[in-house]
Amino acid sequence: MTPVRVTVWNEFRHERRSPHIQAIYPNGLHQPIIDHLNGAGFAARAAVLDDPEHGLTDDVLASTDVLTWWGHMAHGEVSDAVVDKVHQRVLQGMGLIVLHSGHYSKIFKRLMGTTCSLKWREAHEKERHWIVNPGHPIVDGLNEYIEIPAHEMYGEFFDVPAPDETVFIAWYPGGEVFRSGLCYYRGRGKVFYFSPGHETYPVYYQPDVLRVIENAVRWAAPTGSSYRLDAVKSAPIEPLANTAPITGD
Ligand code: ZN
């Protein structure tokens, strides 16, 4: 069977500018994700902002089943032309996994249609992601929560549309909560937002976090349905033949 083809997109700026972050992720925060996914039997590769077309050429997008997205300081540098193409590919069925500060990426805001703003605080706090949908394939193999010993707080209100499925809700010592694992269906595509991954913590080496990303790739991969979105657009709207006339008294 052909392995699911994953493109792991990373802005890859923090790791090259900050010695502290470079020490945590010497080859970029995409590398441990790629290593894990390849170890799990997927065909994963990197694409980064400073590559031509941000590494997301037509050929790359056409041969990507699932795209993961991490960005933070340079969302504005992502070209609208590339965002348009990624958006179209999602509607056609490519899976998209948006990680951490990717909540403010152009592609996520486009798909959500809202500001995607949230509350945040960097105070080196423990975080627990409680599973609220234990039958969901994205939590296969996990216990009842994922704990990150120290992380950045993301809290409500998270300005996104009501999700199609909520998988995780995070808790923080400050009393905040956050809908931290959310599923959306857009056209034929599946979108998963997952909040762990602040760049100053080694979150993408944590096995249960990697397991969620692996499960999410499996969930978001296209199913091979032959359903065509353009068929919907061309369907004529006909009046119902058997509608009884409305009569007044
Ligand atoms: Zn962050």
Side-chain angles (χ1 to χ4, degrees):
M1 211 171 80
T2 318
V4 173
R5 301 161 300 178
V6 189
T7 301
V8 178
W9 193 88
N10 181 15
E11 183 181 277
F12 198 28
R13 290 278 176 84
H14 287 287
E15 301 95 315
R16 291 186 294 183
R17 292 183 183 184
S18 155
H20 170 61
I21 297 168
Q22 193 172 53
I24 299 168
Y25 294 113
N27 299 309
L29 60 75
H30 51 284
Q31 197 58 49
I33 297 173
I34 290 170
D35 291 344
H36 178 84
L37 293 176
N38 283 331
F42 302 117
R45 61 184 162 183
V48 303
L49 178 65
D50 292 325
D51 288 344
E53 296 181 62
H54 316 316
L56 300 174
T57 61
D58 290 351
D59 284 349
V60 168
L61 284 174
S63 58
T64 296
D65 298 311
V66 179
L67 177 67
T68 76
W69 195 279
W70 194 102
H72 180 230
M73 64 193 294
H75 293 311
E77 291 181 45
V78 177
S79 92
D80 292 335
V82 168
V83 175
D84 288 345
K85 288 181 194 178
V86 172
H87 186 207
Q88 283 308 308
R89 284 284 294 136
V90 171
L91 297 180
Q92 290 164 1
M94 181 181 74
L96 178 68
I97 297 168
V98 176
L99 297 168
H100 188 59
S101 41
H103 72 92
Y104 262 156
S105 63
K106 287 183 178 181
I107 184 59
F108 191 61
K109 289 196 289 188
R110 169 88 61 92
L111 287 160
M112 296 296 106
T114 53
T115 68
C116 300
S117 65
L118 47 75
K119 182 176 290 179
W120 59 276
R121 171 177 66 229
E122 278 192 67
H124 201 68
E125 291 164 281
K126 180 162 80 179
E127 155 179 312
R128 274 190 186 168
H129 298 268
W130 290 91
I131 291 171
V132 295
N133 196 337
H136 201 284
I138 287 180
V139 300
D140 280 357
L142 299 177
N143 295 317
E144 64 177 343
Y145 61 80
I146 289 174
E147 184 165 295
I148 298 175
H151 199 231
E152 174 186 23
M153 188 279 291
Y154 270 10
E156 298 285 342
F157 174 59
F158 187 18
D159 184 22
V160 286
D164 293 304
E165 294 156 3
T166 304
V167 180
F168 291 101
I169 294 179
W171 164 94
Y172 300 87
E176 296 84 2
V177 294
F178 185 67
R179 291 168 293 165
S180 60
L182 304 176
C183 297
Y184 294 92
Y185 296 81
R186 292 291 183 268
R188 283 176 62 186
K190 301 188 192 89
V191 179
F192 181 58
Y193 174 76
F194 188 45
S195 72
H198 187 66
E199 64 276 5
T200 59
Y201 297 101
V203 173
Y204 294 133
Y205 295 102
Q206 194 170 316
D208 45 12
V209 169
L210 290 167
R211 181 65 190 265
V212 170
I213 295 171
E214 171 193 337
N215 290 344
V217 166
R218 209 168 273 124
W219 168 81
T223 53
S225 152
S226 57
Y227 182 87
R228 288 172 57 89
L229 270 185
D230 53 0
V232 178
K233 275 190 286 188
S234 62
I237 299 170
E238 302 282 359
L240 292 174
N242 298 322
T243 305
I246 298 167
T247 53
D249 53 11

